[in-house]
């Protein structure tokens, strides 16, 4: 495994870890190859547009060139002029000496007030050491204290959140959490879950679980999964609502144990892999796997004892099953929901045909969901098999596609056709759902369509798509259902 996954501040998996370093976080926030997550590179929160020109405080009467208190304070940011306190921030060899001004810090943070003017204050003239905060994050904190501006980037947002929490600057902490929520994807959800637990950010934790539950296969296979702490590993493995195969959980836990051995500086062998997994291994529901999956995976991993392996094989094959330390009930997963956009369906001779043309509809939702697939109409002329290409696009960019087949029994029922993995849908943005079918030409179709539909806690808005070349629109046609998780 690559060593980039081993840079934790603490090596004992039972200790609380500090925020991840920039190296660990960088890959988690970059957009994936298929473009399934649009990530903002830089976010700046500012009350109004400011000049990037910083006055030269070495000039005589430099104050005359600044017209506001904010601009004059900005001139003092990271400036030795009139500095009455210094900090040694970070750890060698990246430690930086940063000047500051006590009054500004004390008016922005109760922690700094206590440190500089309260009972904890001292008259020392030496620089205050802050080894647990990265210099860039500390400068981000100071920028907010001096100017009310917050500049966030993917590789510094967590360390900046740590600094904001440490010095009790709640508005800045909230801005960091909001940024993390907008950047959340299956690729970084496990990393952010681990950190949201550390920072006690319950709302962010809930958002992480939404993504992990719905896109469990992708989250478990992400590079960031191996960087979570042991407590988070146990929580994930115990989760009832994960939409994932049990073999995927085993493989993810096995990868985590390999990297944990590297973190602890011990040899990566079956004995140590089992040791670092500890009791978490018994949270994996091995008896619920397919027999072939178990035989080709866990049974040959050497981290199970011979007795455990034999007993699980007996559980698969014997009429009298042995008692096992592993859960034997399958996970429930998230229940899928379906939004129905037509009030009725119909068929008429020679009216609705499939000739390789595209049926499309645009939709918008008012909260984040995860589209798993579509419900489609099939043949109105007896049982038939269809080939279908599914697509889901945003601004013309394909977020997910699948070529597959489904069987229609000739009824007016809808038939579930799913993507390989659920696709994250952000609120208040239009997406295009498309299907190209090939099979029996005559088909059922929807009618009495609705432009707005509420399903559970989610409201959908529909509008016609220019991609549709087979007649589908808001009032009638194909793609009667969107199948989703929320």
């Amino acid at each position: 495994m690559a060593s980039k996954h081993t840079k934790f501040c603490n090596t004992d998996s039972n200790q609380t870890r500090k925020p991840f370093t920039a190296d660990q976080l960088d890959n988690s926030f970059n957009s994936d190859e298929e473009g399934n997550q649009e990530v903002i590179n830089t976010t700046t929160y500012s009350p109004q547009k400011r000049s990037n020109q910083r006055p030269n405080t070495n000039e005589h009467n430099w104050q005359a060139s600044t017209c506001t208190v904010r601009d004059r304070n900005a001139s003092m940011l990271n400036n030795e002029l009139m500095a009455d306190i210094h900090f040694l921030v970070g750890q060698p060899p990246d430690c930086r000496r940063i000047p500051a001004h006590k009054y500004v810090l004390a008016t922005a943070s109760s922690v700094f007030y206590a440190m500089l003017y309260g009972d904890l204050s001292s008259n020392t003239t030496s620089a205050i050491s802050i080894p647990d905060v990265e210099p860039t994050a500390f400068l981000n904190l100071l920028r907010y204290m001096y100017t009310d501006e917050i500049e966030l980037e993917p590789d510094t947002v967590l360390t900046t959140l740590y600094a904001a929490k440490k010095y009790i600057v709640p508005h800045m902490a909230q801005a960091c959490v909001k940024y993390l929520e907008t950047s959340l994807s299956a690729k970084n959800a496990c990393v952010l879950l681990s950190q949201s637990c550390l920072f006690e950010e319950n709302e962010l934790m809930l958002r992480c679980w939404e993504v992990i539950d719905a896109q469990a296969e992708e989250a478990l296979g992400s590079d960031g999964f191996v960087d979570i702490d042991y407590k988070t590993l146990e929580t994930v493995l115990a989760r009832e609502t994960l939409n994932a195969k049990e073999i995927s959980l085993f493989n993810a836990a096995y990868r985590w144990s390999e990297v944990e051995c590297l973190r602890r500086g011990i040899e990566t062998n079956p004995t140590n892999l089992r040791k670092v997994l500890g009791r978490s291994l018994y949270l994996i529901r091995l008896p619920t796997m397919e027999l072939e999956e178990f035989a080709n995976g866990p049974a040959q991993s050497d981290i199970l004892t011979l007795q455990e392996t034999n007993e699980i094989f007996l559980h698969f094959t014997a009429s009298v099953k042995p008692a096992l330390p592993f859960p034997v009930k399958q996970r429930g997963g998230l229940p899928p929901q379906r939004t129905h956009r037509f009030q009725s369906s119909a068929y008429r001779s020679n009216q609705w045909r499939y000739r390789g043309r595209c049926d499309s509809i645009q939709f918008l939702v008012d909260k984040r969901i995860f589209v798993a697939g579509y419900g489609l109409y099939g043949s109105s002329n007896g049982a038939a098999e269809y080939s279908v290409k599914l697509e889901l696009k945003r601004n013309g960019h394909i977020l997910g596609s699948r070529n597959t087949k489904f069987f229609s029994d000739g009824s007016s029922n809808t038939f579930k056709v799913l993507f390989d993995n659920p696709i994250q849908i952000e609120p208040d943005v239009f997406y295009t759902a498309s299907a190209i079918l090939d099979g029996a030409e005559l088909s059922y179709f929807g009618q009495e369509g609705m432009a707005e539909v509420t399903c559970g806690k989610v409201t959908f808005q529909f509008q016609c798509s220019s991609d549709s070349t087979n007649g589908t629109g808001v009032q009638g046609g194909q793609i009667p259902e969107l199948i989703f998780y929320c």
Side-chain angles (χ1 to χ4, degrees), residues 324-357:
L324 296 174
F326 301 93
V328 298
K329 181 183 177 182
Q330 287 188 339
R331 296 176 199 269
L334 279 180
Q337 300 185 53
R338 297 191 182 204
T339 179
H340 307 270
R341 67 187 193 92
F342 297 128
Q343 298 182 66
S344 64
S345 62
Y347 74 91
R348 298 186 187 95
S349 176
N350 203 34
Q351 178 160 347
W352 201 270
R353 292 178 174 273
Y354 293 128
R355 295 172 178 170
R357 294 177 180 172

Side-chain angles (χ1 to χ4, degrees), residues 96-113:
R96 287 184 59 181
R97 182 181 173 90
I98 298 176
H101 305 80
K102 292 181 180 180
Y103 170 77
V104 176
L105 272 59
T107 56
S109 162
S110 60
V111 175
F112 278 126
Y113 177 82

Side-chain angles (χ1 to χ4, degrees), residues 352-357 377-388 404-406 408 436-443:
W352 201 270
R353 292 178 174 273
Y354 293 128
R355 295 172 178 170
R357 294 177 180 172
Y377 290 125
S379 170
S380 60
N381 191 28
E385 184 178 67
Y386 285 89
S387 296
V388 59
T404 186
K405 295 181 178 182
F406 72 92
S408 165
I436 300 175
L437 288 93
D438 186 18
E441 288 190 357
L442 293 178
S443 166

Side-chain angles (χ1 to χ4, degrees), residues 403-414:
N403 290 293
T404 186
K405 295 181 178 182
F406 72 92
F407 181 78
S408 165
D409 61 9
S411 70
S412 61
N413 296 330
T414 57

Side-chain angles (χ1 to χ4, degrees), residues 144-373:
Y144 172 70
M145 292 179 171
Y146 279 75
T147 70
D148 285 336
E149 291 182 356
I150 303 174
E151 295 184 3
L152 300 175
E153 295 183 356
D155 58 352
T156 60
V157 60
L158 278 178
T159 52
T160 300
L161 174 58
Y162 177 76
K165 287 280 191 176
K166 178 181 174 73
Y167 293 104
I168 312 179
V169 185
H171 178 73
M172 187 173 194
Q174 290 168 8
C176 291
V177 171
K178 182 178 179 181
Y179 179 89
L180 290 170
E181 288 182 355
T182 61
S183 304
L184 184 60
S185 70
K187 195 173 184 179
N188 58 35
C190 291
V191 172
L192 295 185
L193 174 67
S194 184
Q195 293 295 285
S196 63
C197 295
L198 170 63
F199 294 130
E200 297 182 343
E201 287 290 343
N202 293 331
E203 195 66 27
L204 178 59
M205 195 184 310
L206 290 175
R207 300 287 82 76
C208 290
W209 277 125
E210 287 178 1
V211 174
I212 294 170
D213 280 341
Q215 298 180 301
E217 291 283 349
E218 294 177 87
L220 293 169
S222 67
D223 290 340
F225 183 83
V226 298
D227 289 327
I228 63 177
D229 61 283
Y230 185 79
K231 183 177 180 181
T232 304
L233 174 71
E234 286 189 307
T235 306
V236 172
L237 296 181
R239 187 81 170 172
E240 176 68 23
T241 47
L242 294 177
N243 282 343
K245 295 180 179 179
E246 210 64 31
I247 188 64
S248 299
L249 277 93
F250 175 83
N251 290 337
Y254 190 91
R255 287 172 49 238
W256 182 92
S257 66
E258 291 180 313
V259 177
E260 182 67 9
C261 285
L262 296 177
R263 281 192 284 262
R264 297 191 187 189
I266 59 178
E267 183 181 352
T268 304
N269 58 41
T271 300
N272 287 335
L273 295 177
R274 176 66 180 256
K275 177 182 177 181
V276 299
L277 282 173
R279 296 294 303 177
S280 71
L281 180 64
Y282 294 115
L283 298 173
I284 305 174
R285 308 183 184 191
L286 298 178
T288 68
M289 292 181 183
E290 297 292 333
L291 175 58
E292 185 176 353
E293 287 179 335
F294 176 75
N296 292 328
Q300 297 187 47
S301 67
D302 293 329
I303 66 172
L304 298 176
T305 66
L306 182 60
Q307 180 180 353
E308 288 169 340
T309 302
N310 288 339
E311 288 180 344
I312 293 175
F313 273 124
L314 287 174
H315 176 85
F316 282 121
T317 57
S319 56
V320 179
K321 303 183 185 302
L324 296 174
F326 301 93
V328 298
K329 181 183 177 182
Q330 287 188 339
R331 296 176 199 269
L334 279 180
Q337 300 185 53
R338 297 191 182 204
T339 179
H340 307 270
R341 67 187 193 92
F342 297 128
Q343 298 182 66
S344 64
S345 62
Y347 74 91
R348 298 186 187 95
S349 176
N350 203 34
Q351 178 160 347
W352 201 270
R353 292 178 174 273
Y354 293 128
R355 295 172 178 170
R357 294 177 180 172
C358 182
D359 288 294
S360 295
I361 191 71
Q362 286 191 307
F363 69 94
L364 173 149
V365 291
D366 62 348
K367 65 171 293 186
R368 174 184 287 153
I369 64 170
F370 304 86
V371 170

Side-chain angles (χ1 to χ4, degrees), residues 341-343 360-362 446-452 461-465 468 471-479:
R341 67 187 193 92
F342 297 128
Q343 298 182 66
S360 295
I361 191 71
Q362 286 191 307
Q447 57 186 11
E448 299 179 283
M450 296 172 286
E452 182 173 300
Q461 294 181 32
F462 296 98
Q463 69 178 30
C464 295
S465 168
S468 188
T472 288
V474 174
Q475 297 300 318
Q478 182 58 272
I479 316 180

Side-chain angles (χ1 to χ4, degrees), residues 44-61:
T44 302
Y45 296 82
S46 177
Q48 57 183 334
K49 186 176 181 180
R50 304 292 186 181
S51 171
N52 292 325
Q53 186 76 24
R54 178 170 171 170
N56 183 358
T57 54
N58 292 322
E59 294 180 355
H60 175 67
N61 197 22

